[in-house]
Amino acid sequence: KHSIYMQKSKKQVFCICLFIFALISLSGCGGSSSPVIRSGVVAIGAPLANSLVTVTDSNGATKTTVVNSDGTYNIDLQGMTAPFIFRVTGDMGSTPVSYSAGSTGAENTVNITPITDAALASLKSDYDTRLATPADVNAASLSAATNNIMTSLRSVANSVGYTGNGTGNEAFVADGTGLDALLDAVSFERTSSGVVMSNKLKVLTDSATPEKTVLTSSAGVSSLSATFSTPEGNLTGKLNGLKDKL
Protein backbone atom coordinates (compact mmCIF):
# COMPACT_ATOMS: atom_id res chain seq x y z
CA LYS A 1 0.00 0.00 0.00
CA HIS A 2 2.81 2.34 0.86
CA SER A 3 4.38 1.68 -2.55
CA ILE A 4 1.08 2.34 -4.33
CA TYR A 5 0.62 5.55 -2.34
CA MET A 6 4.09 6.75 -3.28
CA GLN A 7 3.47 6.05 -6.95
CA LYS A 8 0.21 8.04 -6.87
CA SER A 9 1.95 10.92 -5.08
CA LYS A 10 4.70 11.01 -7.66
CA LYS A 11 2.14 11.04 -10.47
CA GLN A 12 0.22 13.86 -8.80
CA VAL A 13 3.39 15.92 -8.32
CA PHE A 14 4.37 15.28 -11.92
CA CYS A 15 0.94 16.35 -13.19
CA ILE A 16 1.02 19.50 -11.04
CA CYS A 17 4.46 20.37 -12.41
CA LEU A 18 3.26 19.90 -15.97
CA PHE A 19 0.24 22.09 -15.27
CA ILE A 20 2.39 24.87 -13.79
CA PHE A 21 4.84 24.64 -16.71
CA ALA A 22 1.95 24.93 -19.19
CA LEU A 23 0.61 28.01 -17.40
CA ILE A 24 4.02 29.65 -17.46
CA SER A 25 4.44 28.86 -21.16
CA LEU A 26 1.04 30.26 -22.04
CA SER A 27 1.70 33.36 -19.98
CA GLY A 28 5.02 33.85 -21.73
CA CYS A 29 3.45 33.54 -25.16
CA GLY A 30 0.71 36.00 -24.35
CA GLY A 31 2.99 38.51 -22.68
CA SER A 32 5.51 39.05 -25.46
CA SER A 33 5.20 39.48 -29.20
CA SER A 34 7.51 40.49 -31.97
CA PRO A 35 8.17 44.23 -32.41
CA VAL A 36 6.73 45.96 -35.49
CA ILE A 37 9.60 48.16 -36.55
CA ARG A 38 9.23 50.91 -39.13
CA SER A 39 12.13 53.06 -40.26
CA GLY A 40 12.84 55.82 -42.72
CA VAL A 41 14.58 59.10 -43.46
CA VAL A 42 13.35 62.55 -42.53
CA ALA A 43 14.84 65.15 -44.87
CA ILE A 44 13.96 68.31 -46.76
CA GLY A 45 17.26 68.46 -48.66
CA ALA A 46 19.01 68.36 -45.29
CA PRO A 47 18.27 65.86 -42.54
CA LEU A 48 15.94 67.12 -39.83
CA ALA A 49 18.22 65.89 -37.05
CA ASN A 50 16.86 65.76 -33.49
CA SER A 51 13.32 66.48 -34.66
CA LEU A 52 10.39 64.51 -33.29
CA VAL A 53 8.47 61.88 -35.28
CA THR A 54 4.95 61.18 -34.01
CA VAL A 55 2.94 58.27 -35.38
CA THR A 56 -0.84 58.38 -34.96
CA ASP A 57 -2.91 55.27 -35.61
CA SER A 58 -6.54 54.84 -36.64
CA ASN A 59 -7.63 54.68 -33.00
CA GLY A 60 -5.89 57.92 -32.10
CA ALA A 61 -3.04 56.22 -30.23
CA THR A 62 0.39 57.81 -30.67
CA LYS A 63 4.05 56.87 -30.36
CA THR A 64 7.08 59.11 -30.76
CA THR A 65 10.78 58.85 -31.50
CA VAL A 66 13.67 61.25 -32.10
CA VAL A 67 15.37 61.56 -35.50
CA ASN A 68 19.08 60.68 -35.64
CA SER A 69 21.77 63.10 -36.81
CA ASP A 70 21.74 61.60 -40.32
CA GLY A 71 17.96 61.94 -40.66
CA THR A 72 17.15 58.28 -39.99
CA TYR A 73 14.68 57.02 -37.42
CA ASN A 74 13.21 53.74 -36.13
CA ILE A 75 9.97 53.23 -34.25
CA ASP A 76 8.10 50.20 -32.90
CA LEU A 77 4.40 50.19 -33.85
CA GLN A 78 3.54 47.09 -31.83
CA GLY A 79 -0.05 47.31 -30.60
CA MET A 80 -1.01 50.07 -33.04
CA THR A 81 -3.69 49.82 -35.73
CA ALA A 82 -3.21 50.91 -39.37
CA PRO A 83 -3.51 53.18 -41.24
CA PHE A 84 -1.08 55.73 -39.81
CA ILE A 85 0.00 59.34 -40.07
CA PHE A 86 3.74 59.87 -39.62
CA ARG A 87 4.43 63.51 -38.72
CA VAL A 88 7.74 65.21 -38.00
CA THR A 89 8.01 68.48 -36.13
CA GLY A 90 11.21 70.39 -35.56
CA ASP A 91 13.20 73.43 -36.55
CA MET A 92 15.15 74.27 -39.69
CA GLY A 93 17.44 76.93 -38.37
CA SER A 94 15.08 79.18 -36.42
CA THR A 95 12.02 78.24 -38.48
CA PRO A 96 9.53 75.68 -37.10
CA VAL A 97 8.65 73.02 -39.69
CA SER A 98 6.16 70.18 -39.95
CA TYR A 99 5.92 67.48 -42.62
CA SER A 100 3.81 64.35 -42.82
CA ALA A 101 3.46 61.04 -44.61
CA GLY A 102 0.53 58.66 -44.86
CA SER A 103 1.05 54.93 -44.36
CA THR A 104 -1.30 52.00 -44.90
CA GLY A 105 0.82 49.93 -42.51
CA ALA A 106 2.14 47.63 -45.23
CA GLU A 107 5.35 49.62 -45.78
CA ASN A 108 8.49 48.75 -43.81
CA THR A 109 10.08 52.05 -44.84
CA VAL A 110 8.23 55.33 -44.30
CA ASN A 111 10.20 58.41 -45.33
CA ILE A 112 8.94 61.85 -44.39
CA THR A 113 9.81 64.47 -47.01
CA PRO A 114 8.21 67.48 -48.69
CA ILE A 115 7.10 65.09 -51.46
CA THR A 116 5.23 62.75 -49.07
CA ASP A 117 3.78 65.84 -47.39
CA ALA A 118 2.61 67.32 -50.71
CA ALA A 119 1.03 64.01 -51.76
CA LEU A 120 -0.90 63.83 -48.49
CA ALA A 121 -1.83 67.53 -48.70
CA SER A 122 -3.41 67.02 -52.12
CA LEU A 123 -5.93 64.63 -50.52
CA LYS A 124 -7.20 67.32 -48.15
CA SER A 125 -9.54 70.14 -49.11
CA ASP A 126 -7.51 72.66 -47.08
CA TYR A 127 -4.12 71.19 -48.12
CA ASP A 128 -3.00 71.35 -44.48
CA THR A 129 -1.20 68.14 -43.47
CA ARG A 130 -0.85 69.38 -39.90
CA LEU A 131 -4.53 68.45 -39.54
CA ALA A 132 -4.31 65.16 -41.45
CA THR A 133 -5.63 62.02 -39.77
CA PRO A 134 -5.33 58.31 -40.62
CA ALA A 135 -8.79 58.56 -42.18
CA ASP A 136 -7.20 60.67 -44.93
CA VAL A 137 -4.86 57.84 -45.94
CA ASN A 138 -5.76 56.09 -49.17
CA ALA A 139 -3.08 54.00 -50.89
CA ALA A 140 -4.31 54.51 -54.45
CA SER A 141 -4.81 58.26 -54.01
CA LEU A 142 -1.38 58.72 -52.40
CA SER A 143 0.25 56.79 -55.23
CA ALA A 144 -1.57 58.85 -57.87
CA ALA A 145 -0.63 62.10 -56.13
CA THR A 146 3.03 61.08 -55.90
CA ASN A 147 3.07 60.17 -59.60
CA ASN A 148 1.51 63.55 -60.34
CA ILE A 149 4.22 65.33 -58.37
CA MET A 150 7.05 63.40 -59.98
CA THR A 151 5.65 64.02 -63.47
CA SER A 152 5.89 67.72 -62.73
CA LEU A 153 9.38 67.43 -61.27
CA ARG A 154 10.85 64.92 -63.72
CA SER A 155 12.94 67.39 -65.74
CA VAL A 156 14.37 68.91 -62.57
CA ALA A 157 14.97 65.42 -61.15
CA ASN A 158 16.83 64.34 -64.27
CA SER A 159 18.98 67.47 -64.14
CA VAL A 160 20.22 66.55 -60.64
CA GLY A 161 20.68 62.87 -61.47
CA TYR A 162 17.62 61.46 -59.73
CA THR A 163 15.71 58.78 -61.65
CA GLY A 164 13.52 57.39 -58.86
CA ASN A 165 9.79 57.73 -58.35
CA GLY A 166 9.75 59.78 -55.14
CA THR A 167 7.67 57.31 -53.15
CA GLY A 168 7.91 57.40 -49.39
CA ASN A 169 9.19 53.85 -49.07
CA GLU A 170 12.37 53.97 -51.17
CA ALA A 171 15.79 53.80 -49.57
CA PHE A 172 17.82 56.99 -49.74
CA VAL A 173 20.46 58.91 -47.83
CA ALA A 174 20.27 62.60 -46.94
CA ASP A 175 23.67 63.34 -48.46
CA GLY A 176 22.84 65.74 -51.30
CA THR A 177 22.55 63.05 -53.97
CA GLY A 178 19.63 61.27 -55.62
CA LEU A 179 16.26 62.05 -54.04
CA ASP A 180 17.97 64.36 -51.54
CA ALA A 181 19.38 66.41 -54.43
CA LEU A 182 15.85 66.84 -55.80
CA LEU A 183 14.63 67.98 -52.39
CA ASP A 184 17.42 70.56 -52.45
CA ALA A 185 16.38 71.78 -55.90
CA VAL A 186 12.65 72.26 -55.29
CA SER A 187 10.82 74.15 -52.56
CA PHE A 188 7.35 73.20 -51.37
CA GLU A 189 4.86 75.54 -49.74
CA ARG A 190 1.41 74.58 -48.50
CA THR A 191 -1.27 77.20 -49.21
CA SER A 192 -5.05 77.24 -48.94
CA SER A 193 -5.30 76.75 -52.72
CA GLY A 194 -2.70 74.00 -53.17
CA VAL A 195 0.95 73.09 -52.71
CA VAL A 196 3.26 75.51 -54.53
CA MET A 197 6.35 73.79 -55.94
CA SER A 198 9.17 76.08 -57.05
CA ASN A 199 12.28 75.29 -59.09
CA LYS A 200 15.05 76.88 -57.02
CA LEU A 201 17.77 75.93 -59.51
CA LYS A 202 16.26 77.99 -62.30
CA VAL A 203 16.55 81.12 -60.19
CA LEU A 204 20.22 80.34 -59.61
CA THR A 205 21.05 79.69 -63.23
CA ASP A 206 18.90 82.11 -65.18
CA SER A 207 18.32 85.08 -62.87
CA ALA A 208 14.62 84.45 -63.46
CA THR A 209 11.67 84.83 -61.18
CA PRO A 210 10.94 81.56 -59.41
CA GLU A 211 9.36 79.02 -61.73
CA LYS A 212 6.35 77.62 -59.91
CA THR A 213 3.56 75.13 -60.32
CA VAL A 214 0.66 74.43 -57.97
CA LEU A 215 -0.34 70.92 -56.92
CA THR A 216 -4.05 70.61 -56.21
CA SER A 217 -6.51 67.79 -55.74
CA SER A 218 -7.22 67.83 -59.50
CA ALA A 219 -5.44 65.39 -61.78
CA GLY A 220 -3.23 67.73 -63.77
CA VAL A 221 -0.27 69.87 -62.79
CA SER A 222 2.17 71.69 -65.03
CA SER A 223 5.78 70.59 -65.25
CA LEU A 224 8.80 72.49 -64.02
CA SER A 225 11.57 72.70 -66.58
CA ALA A 226 15.17 71.72 -66.07
CA THR A 227 17.88 74.31 -65.53
CA PHE A 228 19.27 76.01 -68.63
CA SER A 229 22.87 76.66 -67.56
CA THR A 230 25.19 75.87 -64.70
CA PRO A 231 25.29 78.15 -61.66
CA GLU A 232 29.03 78.56 -62.18
CA GLY A 233 28.61 79.80 -65.74
CA ASN A 234 25.94 82.28 -64.73
CA LEU A 235 28.06 83.57 -61.85
CA THR A 236 31.07 83.98 -64.15
CA GLY A 237 28.98 86.08 -66.53
CA LYS A 238 27.86 88.33 -63.71
CA LEU A 239 31.43 88.79 -62.45
CA ASN A 240 32.69 89.60 -65.95
CA GLY A 241 29.93 92.14 -66.42
CA LEU A 242 30.81 93.75 -63.10
CA LYS A 243 34.50 93.89 -64.05
CA ASP A 244 33.67 95.65 -67.31
CA LYS A 245 31.89 98.38 -65.37
CA LEU A 246 34.82 99.01 -63.04
Side-chain angles (χ1 to χ4, degrees), residues 101-161:
S103 168
T104 64
E107 311 90 347
N108 291 321
T109 299
V110 182
N111 299 320
I112 309 174
T113 71
I115 293 177
T116 65
D117 188 80
L120 183 61
S122 72
L123 306 188
K124 294 185 60 59
S125 59
D126 58 4
Y127 303 102
D128 192 348
T129 55
R130 294 171 299 180
L131 304 177
T133 69
D136 295 313
V137 176
N138 178 285
S141 297
L142 283 174
S143 178
T146 302
N147 289 337
N148 199 15
I149 293 167
M150 288 309 302
T151 296
S152 175
L153 302 183
R154 178 50 56 197
S155 292
V156 181
N158 290 341
S159 74
V160 297

Side-chain angles (χ1 to χ4, degrees), residues 16-41:
I16 291 172
C17 289
L18 282 178
F19 178 73
I20 293 173
F21 178 77
L23 286 177
I24 293 173
S25 298
L26 288 173
S27 175
C29 290
S32 63
S33 57
S34 299
V36 182
I37 302 298
R38 294 294 181 266
S39 60
V41 175

Side-chain angles (χ1 to χ4, degrees), residues 42 47-53 65-73 88-91:
V42 180
L48 282 175
N50 302 315
S51 55
L52 189 69
V53 171
T65 190
V66 176
V67 178
N68 299 318
S69 60
D70 61 354
T72 61
Y73 77 91
V88 62
T89 53
D91 296 300

Side-chain angles (χ1 to χ4, degrees), residues 68-243:
N68 299 318
S69 60
D70 61 354
T72 61
Y73 77 91
N74 293 278
I75 193 167
D76 184 2
L77 301 187
Q78 181 181 340
M80 301 189 80
T81 304
F84 307 105
I85 292 292
F86 284 66
R87 180 173 293 114
V88 62
T89 53
D91 296 300
M92 198 64 188
S94 59
T95 304
V97 294
S98 172
Y99 296 94
S100 302
S103 168
T104 64
E107 311 90 347
N108 291 321
T109 299
V110 182
N111 299 320
I112 309 174
T113 71
I115 293 177
T116 65
D117 188 80
L120 183 61
S122 72
L123 306 188
K124 294 185 60 59
S125 59
D126 58 4
Y127 303 102
D128 192 348
T129 55
R130 294 171 299 180
L131 304 177
T133 69
D136 295 313
V137 176
N138 178 285
S141 297
L142 283 174
S143 178
T146 302
N147 289 337
N148 199 15
I149 293 167
M150 288 309 302
T151 296
S152 175
L153 302 183
R154 178 50 56 197
S155 292
V156 181
N158 290 341
S159 74
V160 297
Y162 175 60
T163 58
N165 56 18
T167 59
N169 58 1
E170 69 176 90
F172 84 100
V173 180
D175 62 355
T177 65
L179 175 57
D180 198 51
L182 177 61
L183 298 177
D184 272 327
V186 180
S187 65
F188 296 77
E189 180 186 4
R190 295 186 300 262
T191 72
S192 59
S193 56
V195 180
V196 179
M197 301 185 293
S198 302
N199 181 356
K200 294 188 290 186
L201 291 184
K202 186 171 183 182
V203 178
L204 289 174
T205 60
D206 298 301
S207 301
T209 56
E211 182 188 29
K212 300 180 179 181
T213 187
V214 180
L215 174 72
T216 67
S217 56
S218 60
V221 60
S222 60
S223 297
L224 296 178
S225 63
T227 57
F228 298 112
S229 60
T230 63
E232 292 81 4
N234 184 255
L235 180 59
T236 300
K238 288 183 177 181
L239 290 177
N240 287 337
L242 179 60
K243 184 173 68 173

